[in-house]
Amino acid sequence: MDLTNFSLLFPDEISKQEHYSGKDRPSIDMYTLEQLGMLEMLHLKSSDLADYFTLSPAVMQYRNEIFSDMMRCGELRDTFNKLVPVLNDITELRELVAESYEDDDYLTSITEVELYISCIEILNEGFYKTKDNLESQALKALSERISELAGSDYYAELNQKLNELTKRVREIKSVSIGVNLDSQLRPSYAGVLSVNSEPFKSGDTIDKILRLNFKDDDYTCIANLVPFGKKQSDNQRTAMSNAFNSAINEVYRTSLKSWKKIVQSYVLENTDFLISIMPEIEFIVKGTDMLNKLAEKGCQLSRAEIAPIDERVFDADGLYNPAVALKLCDDDTIVSNDINFNTDDALIYVLTGPNRGGKSVITCALGLALAMMQLGMFIPASHARISPADAIYTHFPTGADDTIDKGRLGEECARLGEIFDSVTEYSLVLLDESFSSTGSYEGSYIAAEVLSGLSMVGCRCLFATHLHELAAEVERINQSNAEKGGIKIDTLVAGIEKGQRSFKIFRSKPDGKSYARDIAERYGLTYENILKKIGK
């Protein structure tokens, strides 16, 4: 089985090439992920999370199956966690060899074979426990390949030969060095006299008296043993180490000469594919950890039904924000909502409601669900049918340096201009408290212009705002754009009951006065309560 181009994230070489050529890759960058709160939940060391987003339903389903196996079989996660440090050791070893420019470092070849055998043993043991429960195409293929390698005659012979040679090498306890001196008693030439299975002993007087037979002991020094590296510079220690390694390599050259060929023809071939998928392994393991943490908190996860991209649908039941859910105490319950975008109804919503009423939370939840689906993960909802997006754009409050030159409003307008340069009908645009830096009249005017433009683009958009006047403009915008082919805009409200925020989102027309009345009652600031306070 040839796994030269094997991938845990792509079902075949064609889909992988199309992804990295940009064909099936949406525009979802690291800045957007940070704005949504994704990087708090899932941070990678060996790659950027943005590299893994896809537009291909086949790729998403391929990954769904892997995450399903990983969440169901805890042994797989443990197996990969044991594997990664060994692969890191192989990578570091190769880098050291490349830097040393040594062509005959046979002992390093033995070390790499040892590490390779450790990889196969770790994987073989892990997959042996789980192979009958695997459903994903990728993990089944990897399991079969590892089983094939571990059961091969070549692998058995390699293991046997390694044991023999490592035993010989590990029996080395000391090296006898001969040094010729010049007429001024300065070292001129040095060479290896013997490689010994016994260590040398100190030659101090007390040791000699205690051993009595030191005269017949070839391993007793005539002078004290000095700890290696003591009072030596780094360069001196390195030179001495290189001398010893060269000596051992020279003595064992005949026995070890074949190892270079073995590493190149067999070990390299069968470890390269593992090293190449190390970033993918990290993504799968950390993604599984994140999903497991949500499940442990009792949060629902589901495999989204992937709708065609041209449907531009986002129908989710029980949608919640996973970044918020992970921060809740165990006794707290996350609030979920049903959100529906479709061309028959509305693709753009203006969401209004009280401050800290859940507007920002649900706005990010929308982006996170879509992002998780396009990573191939389960999503934070009880059920969903979603079309992929070719891009996710966020327009959230920021402390960008540009505000110094342009002012806050100018900076907001500049960022929106950049979004309009790239947005398409298949994009998702999320705006949170945009134009809050200016007065409500000016803010509502600019926001209405932006909504009109997005209506003509035809993309999905959620605009969370405190500008109640903007919501009142929706009907006018719809009437104006209907004749031009614009899509429908509707309104959502974040609920509040008896002055308490419910964090539930309803499809309704906003009533700013009712929010104000509830809050005023909560703090005793209605006209009636004020009269009581002042005794009138």
Side-chain angles (χ1 to χ4, degrees):
M1 181 187 298
D2 181 16
L3 292 185
T4 305
N5 296 314
F6 176 77
S7 172
L8 286 171
L9 302 183
F10 301 96
D12 50 53
E13 181 64 15
I14 294 175
S15 62
K16 185 176 180 179
Q17 288 177 352
E18 288 181 344
H19 175 83
Y20 285 108
S21 68
K23 181 178 179 182
D24 280 331
R25 191 168 173 176
S27 177
I28 305 174
D29 58 29
M30 297 294 284
Y31 174 78
T32 298
L33 296 179
E34 183 178 7
Q35 293 265 290
L36 293 173
M38 187 78 187
L39 300 184
E40 291 183 26
M41 301 189 297
L42 182 56
H43 178 69
L44 305 180
K45 292 182 179 179
S46 59
S47 58
D48 285 343
L49 189 58
D51 292 339
Y52 300 127
F53 289 100
T54 181
L55 281 167
S56 168
V59 172
M60 292 180 221
Q61 290 167 359
Y62 180 79
R63 297 177 187 177
N64 269 177
E65 293 173 358
I66 295 175
F67 280 112
S68 178
D69 278 346
M70 291 288 290
M71 292 179 69
R72 190 176 60 256
C73 305
E75 298 90 345
L76 283 177
R77 177 187 173 278
D78 295 338
T79 295
F80 284 130
N81 277 331
K82 292 177 185 176
L83 176 68
V84 168
V86 183
L87 293 176
N88 281 329
D89 287 344
I90 293 176
T91 303
E92 290 177 8
L93 185 67
R94 292 183 181 178
E95 289 173 353
L96 288 173
V97 171
E99 291 173 1
S100 69
Y101 303 104
E102 289 286 343
D103 293 329
D104 297 326
D105 192 352
Y106 301 112
L107 293 179
T108 301
S109 300
I110 287 182
T111 303
E112 180 160 356
V113 174
E114 281 186 299
L115 291 172
Y116 163 70
I117 288 175
S118 294
C119 289
I120 300 303
E121 288 176 348
I122 290 169
L123 288 169
N124 194 42
E125 181 181 354
F127 278 116
Y128 180 78
K129 298 175 182 177
T130 59
K131 62 182 179 181
D132 294 333
N133 296 321
L134 298 178
E135 296 178 357
S136 64
Q137 175 187 337
L139 293 178
K140 280 183 178 179
L142 183 56
S143 176
E144 289 173 8
R145 177 55 173 161
I146 297 303
S147 179
E148 179 184 290
L149 287 172
S152 68
D153 292 339
Y154 201 92
Y155 177 79
E157 292 173 8
L158 183 69
N159 215 336
Q160 180 182 354
K161 184 69 173 175
L162 176 69
N163 289 334
E164 293 173 359
L165 287 173
T166 52
K167 182 180 179 182
R168 290 184 62 194
V169 172
R170 284 169 180 162
E171 286 176 351
I172 299 173
K173 302 300 181 184
S174 64
V175 176
S176 299
I177 304 287
V179 181
N180 287 338
L181 307 177
D182 62 15
S183 58
Q184 296 179 346
L185 300 183
R186 293 176 303 189
S188 57
Y189 291 94
V192 178
L193 298 179
S194 63
V195 177
N196 314 312
S197 59
E198 292 185 43
F200 284 100
K201 307 176 190 69
S202 177
D204 59 56
T205 304
I206 294 177
D207 279 355
K208 290 178 181 180
I209 292 173
L210 291 175
R211 281 198 293 273
L212 298 178
N213 61 343
F214 70 94
K215 290 181 179 179
D216 300 322
D217 188 350
D218 293 334
Y219 291 94
T220 300
C221 297
I222 63 172
N224 290 346
L225 280 173
V226 179
F228 177 68
K230 187 176 182 180
K231 296 182 179 179
Q232 289 181 324
S233 67
D234 289 341
N235 288 338
Q236 288 173 322
R237 283 194 292 270
T238 300
M240 185 67 76
S241 295
N242 288 340
F244 284 130
N245 289 336
S246 296
I248 294 172
N249 270 321
E250 186 66 30
V251 171
Y252 281 85
R253 178 182 292 275
T254 303
S255 300
L256 302 177
K257 195 170 184 179
S258 62
W259 282 86
K260 274 291 182 182
K261 181 178 287 188
I262 291 173
V263 171
Q264 290 169 351
S265 65
Y266 180 79
V267 177
L268 287 176
E269 176 184 342
N270 291 303
T271 53
D272 278 356
F273 89 90
L274 288 173
I275 291 173
S276 70
I277 63 172
M278 273 180 59
E280 297 183 357
I281 291 174
E282 184 194 15
F283 166 64
I284 294 294
V285 170
K286 289 191 173 180
T288 301
D289 287 345
M290 181 189 73
L291 295 175
N292 281 336
K293 287 176 183 176
L294 288 169
E296 288 166 5
K297 284 183 171 288
C299 299
Q300 287 192 303
L301 294 165
S302 63
R303 186 181 298 187
E305 179 185 347
I306 305 167
I309 191 171
D310 55 7
E311 283 192 25
R312 293 172 289 169
V313 66
F314 189 108
D315 287 340
D317 298 334
L319 176 70
Y320 61 91
N321 188 314
V324 173
L326 290 173
K327 296 177 182 177
L328 292 178
C329 298
D330 293 338
D331 296 335
D332 294 332
T333 302
I334 190 72
V335 175
S336 62
N337 285 283
D338 299 342
I339 301 293
N340 306 106
F341 291 72
N342 58 75
T343 53
D344 294 332
D345 210 348
L347 288 178
I348 298 176
Y349 287 98
V350 177
L351 171 60
T352 55
N355 290 333
R356 292 185 293 176
K359 300 192 299 295
S360 298
V361 170
I362 197 66
T363 302
C364 288
L366 198 69
L368 287 170
L370 188 56
M372 289 169 70
M373 184 189 83
Q374 292 189 232
L375 286 170
M377 295 180 173
F378 293 94
I379 69 164
S382 58
H383 176 268
R385 184 172 185 271
I386 303 173
S387 298
D390 66 359
I392 298 177
Y393 299 107
T394 56
H395 190 267
F396 295 172
T398 178
D401 293 337
D402 279 354
T403 58
I404 297 173
D405 297 326
K406 301 175 184 175
R408 174 72 183 276
L409 182 59
E411 184 271 334
E412 288 189 272
C413 291
R415 282 194 292 130
L416 268 169
E418 292 173 1
I419 290 174
F420 276 109
D421 287 338
S422 306
V423 69
T424 77
E425 61 185 314
Y426 306 118
S427 304
L428 173 68
V429 179
L430 302 172
L431 303 99
D432 184 22
E433 298 296 358
S434 298
F435 313 114
S436 59
S437 60
T438 187
S440 60
Y441 177 80
E442 294 86 353
S444 295
Y445 174 83
I446 300 173
E449 296 290 291
V450 169
L451 279 178
S452 295
L454 291 172
S455 170
M456 296 306 297
V457 171
C459 63
R460 287 165 289 181
C461 172
L462 182 61
F463 194 148
T465 181
H466 69 289
L467 298 170
H468 295 278
E469 298 89 340
L470 177 62
E473 287 286 293
V474 166
E475 186 173 348
R476 180 190 65 78
I477 295 171
N478 282 334
Q479 290 176 350
S480 174
N481 279 10
E483 300 173 357
K484 306 171 187 174
I487 60 173
K488 184 180 177 183
I489 306 170
D490 208 341
T491 56
L492 300 171
V493 295
I496 188 168
E497 300 173 2
K498 298 180 180 179
Q500 297 289 334
R501 295 160 178 78
S502 67
F503 304 108
K504 298 295 288 186
I505 307 300
F506 301 98
R507 188 169 182 179
S508 176
K509 293 187 180 300
D511 182 358
K513 291 180 181 179
S514 65
Y515 291 130
R517 176 74 183 179
D518 283 338
I519 294 172
E521 286 180 349
R522 179 182 178 186
Y523 291 100
L525 293 178
T526 60
Y527 178 68
E528 293 82 0
N529 284 334
I530 292 173
L531 289 180
K532 290 179 183 179
K533 285 177 181 291
I534 63 176
K536 297 288 186 179

